[in-house]
Amino acid sequence: MDSAEFAALESEIYRGLQAILRELDSLQPVINKGMLRWTLHKKVQSDPVRNLALIRVAVKELERAERVDLKNHIIPLLHTLIYAVIQAAYIPDDLYKRIYNACKRLLTLPQPFCTVGLSYTRLLKTERTTPGLLYQRMLVSEHNLRNEHYPLQEWVFVFADPVVFSESLGLVLRADIETAGQTETHLSLMQKVVQRSLQAALGEEHCHGPTLAQALQELEDVECYFGEVLAAVEQSAADCKNEDSQNQLIKKLQQLYTQVLLSTGKDPLSRGSLANVPLPCPDISFHMWWEEEELWRELTKFIRSSSFSDSFSLSPDDFDLPDLATDLDSEMPRHSIMSTDSGIERDMQPADSSDTEWGGGKSVRADAGQVRLSRRGGMKVKPSVTDSMALMQDALEDTVGSRRTLQRKAGQSNTLLQQQRHFTANIVVMGDDRVLGRLARAYYWLRKREARRLFLTKKVNIKMFYIPVTMQPSNPATDNVPNSNPCVLGSYLGMVDPWYECNISSLGLMIPKLAATCDLSRPHEPNPFLADVISYYVRMGQQPVYFTIYYVKIVFSNLTKEPVEEVFLSRLDIDFPEFKMHHRTVKEMSMRQKKAPVELCGALISLSYTKVSLSNREAEKGLSMRTTGVQISAIPTNRTEDLNCLTVELSETKTKCSSGSKIRTCSLKLKTPERTGFSVCLDKDLRRTYRDVQSVEIEPCKDPGYYIQKSVMSKFTSEEDVDTGLSKLMNRGLPLPINTFAGIIP
């Protein structure tokens, strides 16, 4: 292609990139915002010349955004650039240097730009000395290709809330998502690795892409060449500090290129254009999330079915899935458990209970009449020191003596050396705030189970992603109203990360339209759009935003009933049904009736809480008042109130002493002397509603890793000095990290 044609191609790519940036800056709600980004990447991945043009245009725009301080464009341009670099057939060294310098300049910018820039600077430094390494590792790990040189493996689990997704829509999504990752065989994937690595290292001067692709199709022993290419590239990456490592890699790959062509009767001196080697979608499995235990089951199946599971010496007991406890006690899990039942079937408690509409919150299915009889184990083995350290590493903070503030944590900030885990589970949940509440509960339960018997923590790196989806029609005017917006947390992520809003939030608006246009009477042809967007999100969304999980202890009015321990993530609602109905009746009274004295104007409550402030000063407060309801929210609806704490709003009756102000706290206790009690709803999920409640206690969940260190220190220090040493560096709370593209952009 001559210079004039390439300039015209660059001009076309530039117009497409500018359209994406204009759409990003638009304040008008656009349902198909992410379509332009997907269309651009689809065009360039089918043509190596277009991909190279996109890289040149994107790096120019990134340099311009740095000069004129267009910070809103930096993250989208950076992700677009790196995604094109990963899939490029060949990049000249001078262009590599320009991209590397552009990313390195981001280190002088504030968070989160310096964090994302540092991550990509490290990748580019390795890719420049070892061309093709990123593509090779990504493809090998995402498709679990058996080899001896790169043991890391990944899998994408998509969990959809069956309350939001109908059965018919679930079948359509399963076909679209799972089919995309099954289009390639292991043989064709090995051919892609060999083709991509040889082209990236040799370039147009020493390689002819179409001839090589045809030779690999005719080659009988592709696996042998795949192993040799993999070994050469990984060895070069390990010796990256050696100046001769890149030359040795090129020499070795040139020999393999010649052998492949000679073994198939092709001309080894052929050179010219390069072939397109697009990066396929990773292995993805779709699940309708009926039971919380399914998360644990799928993770264990992932390890058990892995080609590397033999090296871990897994015992059958590691995969034993007995009935698990539903208690969520905030204290350190016990290492010995005493059985309290008699072992006789007639002495067992009935399965159904009138206190909650969803007993324990574990399953969505109504399995009435099916009761599994099993006895829990009587004794649990205490974790070893090695196992305890593996669990404690996740709770470590990278800043010595860091103070707890109300600023929400975001980004990959833990720089401490941790044990390498060979498995990565990318968990993508789809639904509204209710599915995130279930995810928080499952994650907390998983951490407590690991504290009792370590299995997954040493092996699996868990990353969590969220696609907000609701079947309710979108109304931007009411998105900031917590009661009317079913996806408050998704709206928050879109508010702090515009690239997330453009690609992921818009995807959640497209899925309901997919349900409306799907015709189940005809065979469904899989659409690659959804799988491509999920793949892009999982690969490029590596900056987590941390949300505090709150522990709730619920005490019922009937003292014969055991208290319940629960957790919530976004919202807790307290209602007094009797007084709320009476308050509604008062509104409908005539003016003459309203002048008459009203005996009841709300339920009497006693609220004690710890008031928090930006100065990090805490003060114990308390009040008594009458109210018809209490709303406790953990997710802010605007930037001015973006604090990592609880906001308590009381539905006060209009009296002279009504303050109407919000209470900000991290822990509280609320109780009522009323006989009828009140109802508690967690995360707006009617399935997790508890009735006839007398009091609730709320505080941040404690990380089991912190309690392990605390129990160790208590043996050697006094009670006053327990929070010393390693405990000072540990995060006491257990946050739920949701990955985004940028974290939080101020």
Side-chain angles (χ1 to χ4, degrees), residues 494-509:
M495 178 178 63
V496 299
D497 186 355
W499 199 232
Y500 178 92
E501 172 72 18
C502 183
N503 291 276
I504 306 305
S505 297
S506 61
L507 178 64
L509 298 176

PDB file of all heavy atoms in Angstrom, residues 494-509:
ATOM      1  N   GLY A 494     -20.965   4.179  36.256  1.00  0.00           N
ATOM      2  CA  GLY A 494     -20.980   4.992  35.046  1.00  0.00           C
ATOM      3  C   GLY A 494     -20.675   6.450  35.327  1.00  0.00           C
ATOM      4  O   GLY A 494     -20.114   7.151  34.467  1.00  0.00           O
ATOM      5  N   MET A 495     -21.014   6.934  36.511  1.00  0.00           N
ATOM      6  CA  MET A 495     -20.747   8.327  36.883  1.00  0.00           C
ATOM      7  C   MET A 495     -19.254   8.565  37.109  1.00  0.00           C
ATOM      8  O   MET A 495     -18.720   9.615  36.720  1.00  0.00           O
ATOM      9  CB  MET A 495     -21.536   8.670  38.142  1.00  0.00           C
ATOM     10  CG  MET A 495     -21.332  10.060  38.672  1.00  0.00           C
ATOM     11  SD  MET A 495     -22.347  10.389  40.136  1.00  0.00           S
ATOM     12  CE  MET A 495     -21.676   9.178  41.308  1.00  0.00           C
ATOM     13  N   VAL A 496     -18.558   7.615  37.723  1.00  0.00           N
ATOM     14  CA  VAL A 496     -17.136   7.806  38.029  1.00  0.00           C
ATOM     15  C   VAL A 496     -16.226   7.306  36.917  1.00  0.00           C
ATOM     16  O   VAL A 496     -15.032   7.633  36.914  1.00  0.00           O
ATOM     17  CB  VAL A 496     -16.779   7.099  39.355  1.00  0.00           C
ATOM     18  CG1 VAL A 496     -17.585   7.691  40.498  1.00  0.00           C
ATOM     19  CG2 VAL A 496     -16.991   5.593  39.261  1.00  0.00           C
ATOM     20  N   ASP A 497     -16.738   6.530  35.973  1.00  0.00           N
ATOM     21  CA  ASP A 497     -15.934   6.004  34.864  1.00  0.00           C
ATOM     22  C   ASP A 497     -16.735   6.141  33.573  1.00  0.00           C
ATOM     23  O   ASP A 497     -17.562   5.281  33.244  1.00  0.00           O
ATOM     24  CB  ASP A 497     -15.570   4.536  35.119  1.00  0.00           C
ATOM     25  CG  ASP A 497     -14.615   3.981  34.064  1.00  0.00           C
ATOM     26  OD1 ASP A 497     -14.319   4.692  33.087  1.00  0.00           O
ATOM     27  OD2 ASP A 497     -14.154   2.830  34.219  1.00  0.00           O
ATOM     28  N   PRO A 498     -16.519   7.214  32.793  1.00  0.00           N
ATOM     29  CA  PRO A 498     -17.296   7.418  31.556  1.00  0.00           C
ATOM     30  C   PRO A 498     -17.123   6.302  30.526  1.00  0.00           C
ATOM     31  O   PRO A 498     -18.056   6.024  29.764  1.00  0.00           O
ATOM     32  CB  PRO A 498     -16.752   8.756  31.022  1.00  0.00           C
ATOM     33  CG  PRO A 498     -16.173   9.444  32.211  1.00  0.00           C
ATOM     34  CD  PRO A 498     -15.649   8.360  33.092  1.00  0.00           C
ATOM     35  N   TRP A 499     -15.963   5.660  30.487  1.00  0.00           N
ATOM     36  CA  TRP A 499     -15.759   4.576  29.525  1.00  0.00           C
ATOM     37  C   TRP A 499     -16.591   3.351  29.903  1.00  0.00           C
ATOM     38  O   TRP A 499     -17.035   2.600  29.041  1.00  0.00           O
ATOM     39  CB  TRP A 499     -14.278   4.215  29.438  1.00  0.00           C
ATOM     40  CG  TRP A 499     -13.866   3.450  28.215  1.00  0.00           C
ATOM     41  CD1 TRP A 499     -13.160   2.291  28.186  1.00  0.00           C
ATOM     42  CD2 TRP A 499     -14.099   3.789  26.841  1.00  0.00           C
ATOM     43  NE1 TRP A 499     -12.940   1.882  26.894  1.00  0.00           N
ATOM     44  CE2 TRP A 499     -13.506   2.783  26.041  1.00  0.00           C
ATOM     45  CE3 TRP A 499     -14.758   4.835  26.206  1.00  0.00           C
ATOM     46  CZ2 TRP A 499     -13.564   2.807  24.651  1.00  0.00           C
ATOM     47  CZ3 TRP A 499     -14.810   4.857  24.817  1.00  0.00           C
ATOM     48  CH2 TRP A 499     -14.223   3.855  24.057  1.00  0.00           C
ATOM     49  N   TYR A 500     -16.816   3.139  31.193  1.00  0.00           N
ATOM     50  CA  TYR A 500     -17.728   2.092  31.653  1.00  0.00           C
ATOM     51  C   TYR A 500     -19.160   2.439  31.250  1.00  0.00           C
ATOM     52  O   TYR A 500     -19.916   1.577  30.798  1.00  0.00           O
ATOM     53  CB  TYR A 500     -17.610   1.945  33.170  1.00  0.00           C
ATOM     54  CG  TYR A 500     -18.544   0.920  33.782  1.00  0.00           C
ATOM     55  CD1 TYR A 500     -18.139  -0.388  33.966  1.00  0.00           C
ATOM     56  CD2 TYR A 500     -19.835   1.269  34.180  1.00  0.00           C
ATOM     57  CE1 TYR A 500     -18.993  -1.334  34.527  1.00  0.00           C
ATOM     58  CE2 TYR A 500     -20.692   0.338  34.743  1.00  0.00           C
ATOM     59  CZ  TYR A 500     -20.262  -0.963  34.910  1.00  0.00           C
ATOM     60  OH  TYR A 500     -21.119  -1.894  35.461  1.00  0.00           O
ATOM     61  N   GLU A 501     -19.540   3.701  31.424  1.00  0.00           N
ATOM     62  CA  GLU A 501     -20.877   4.134  31.034  1.00  0.00           C
ATOM     63  C   GLU A 501     -21.105   3.941  29.544  1.00  0.00           C
ATOM     64  O   GLU A 501     -22.193   3.524  29.120  1.00  0.00           O
ATOM     65  CB  GLU A 501     -21.053   5.611  31.411  1.00  0.00           C
ATOM     66  CG  GLU A 501     -22.315   6.257  30.897  1.00  0.00           C
ATOM     67  CD  GLU A 501     -23.559   5.784  31.623  1.00  0.00           C
ATOM     68  OE1 GLU A 501     -23.432   5.227  32.731  1.00  0.00           O
ATOM     69  OE2 GLU A 501     -24.660   5.972  31.066  1.00  0.00           O
ATOM     70  N   CYS A 502     -20.079   4.211  28.750  1.00  0.00           N
ATOM     71  CA  CYS A 502     -20.216   4.137  27.289  1.00  0.00           C
ATOM     72  C   CYS A 502     -20.338   2.701  26.796  1.00  0.00           C
ATOM     73  O   CYS A 502     -21.124   2.423  25.884  1.00  0.00           O
ATOM     74  CB  CYS A 502     -19.022   4.830  26.638  1.00  0.00           C
ATOM     75  SG  CYS A 502     -19.071   4.891  24.839  1.00  0.00           S
ATOM     76  N   ASN A 503     -19.570   1.781  27.386  1.00  0.00           N
ATOM     77  CA  ASN A 503     -19.504   0.420  26.854  1.00  0.00           C
ATOM     78  C   ASN A 503     -20.346  -0.595  27.613  1.00  0.00           C
ATOM     79  O   ASN A 503     -20.890  -1.515  26.990  1.00  0.00           O
ATOM     80  CB  ASN A 503     -18.044  -0.062  26.850  1.00  0.00           C
ATOM     81  CG  ASN A 503     -17.190   0.659  25.840  1.00  0.00           C
ATOM     82  OD1 ASN A 503     -17.161   0.312  24.670  1.00  0.00           O
ATOM     83  ND2 ASN A 503     -16.487   1.688  26.289  1.00  0.00           N
ATOM     84  N   ILE A 504     -20.468  -0.455  28.933  1.00  0.00           N
ATOM     85  CA  ILE A 504     -21.114  -1.486  29.739  1.00  0.00           C
ATOM     86  C   ILE A 504     -22.532  -1.087  30.121  1.00  0.00           C
ATOM     87  O   ILE A 504     -23.468  -1.882  29.986  1.00  0.00           O
ATOM     88  CB  ILE A 504     -20.274  -1.794  30.989  1.00  0.00           C
ATOM     89  CG1 ILE A 504     -18.842  -2.148  30.581  1.00  0.00           C
ATOM     90  CG2 ILE A 504     -20.900  -2.927  31.765  1.00  0.00           C
ATOM     91  CD1 ILE A 504     -18.728  -3.285  29.587  1.00  0.00           C
ATOM     92  N   SER A 505     -22.713   0.135  30.621  1.00  0.00           N
ATOM     93  CA  SER A 505     -24.068   0.566  30.975  1.00  0.00           C
ATOM     94  C   SER A 505     -24.978   0.578  29.756  1.00  0.00           C
ATOM     95  O   SER A 505     -26.155   0.219  29.834  1.00  0.00           O
ATOM     96  CB  SER A 505     -24.025   1.955  31.622  1.00  0.00           C
ATOM     97  OG  SER A 505     -23.303   1.922  32.837  1.00  0.00           O
ATOM     98  N   SER A 506     -24.440   0.999  28.609  1.00  0.00           N
ATOM     99  CA  SER A 506     -25.239   0.990  27.384  1.00  0.00           C
ATOM    100  C   SER A 506     -25.577  -0.429  26.951  1.00  0.00           C
ATOM    101  O   SER A 506     -26.636  -0.678  26.360  1.00  0.00           O
ATOM    102  CB  SER A 506     -24.484   1.718  26.267  1.00  0.00           C
ATOM    103  OG  SER A 506     -23.243   1.077  25.993  1.00  0.00           O
ATOM    104  N   LEU A 507     -24.671  -1.388  27.245  1.00  0.00           N
ATOM    105  CA  LEU A 507     -24.952  -2.790  26.919  1.00  0.00           C
ATOM    106  C   LEU A 507     -26.155  -3.291  27.709  1.00  0.00           C
ATOM    107  O   LEU A 507     -26.986  -4.047  27.196  1.00  0.00           O
ATOM    108  CB  LEU A 507     -23.723  -3.641  27.214  1.00  0.00           C
ATOM    109  CG  LEU A 507     -23.856  -5.146  26.975  1.00  0.00           C
ATOM    110  CD1 LEU A 507     -24.097  -5.431  25.495  1.00  0.00           C
ATOM    111  CD2 LEU A 507     -22.617  -5.877  27.458  1.00  0.00           C
ATOM    112  N   GLY A 508     -26.260  -2.855  28.970  1.00  0.00           N
ATOM    113  CA  GLY A 508     -27.403  -3.257  29.772  1.00  0.00           C
ATOM    114  C   GLY A 508     -28.719  -2.743  29.238  1.00  0.00           C
ATOM    115  O   GLY A 508     -29.774  -3.344  29.467  1.00  0.00           O
ATOM    116  N   LEU A 509     -28.681  -1.630  28.492  1.00  0.00           N
ATOM    117  CA  LEU A 509     -29.895  -1.107  27.878  1.00  0.00           C
ATOM    118  C   LEU A 509     -30.247  -1.837  26.590  1.00  0.00           C
ATOM    119  O   LEU A 509     -31.399  -1.822  26.153  1.00  0.00           O
ATOM    120  CB  LEU A 509     -29.733   0.393  27.598  1.00  0.00           C
ATOM    121  CG  LEU A 509     -29.504   1.286  28.824  1.00  0.00           C
ATOM    122  CD1 LEU A 509     -29.254   2.722  28.394  1.00  0.00           C
ATOM    123  CD2 LEU A 509     -30.690   1.215  29.776  1.00  0.00           C
TER     124      LEU A 509
END
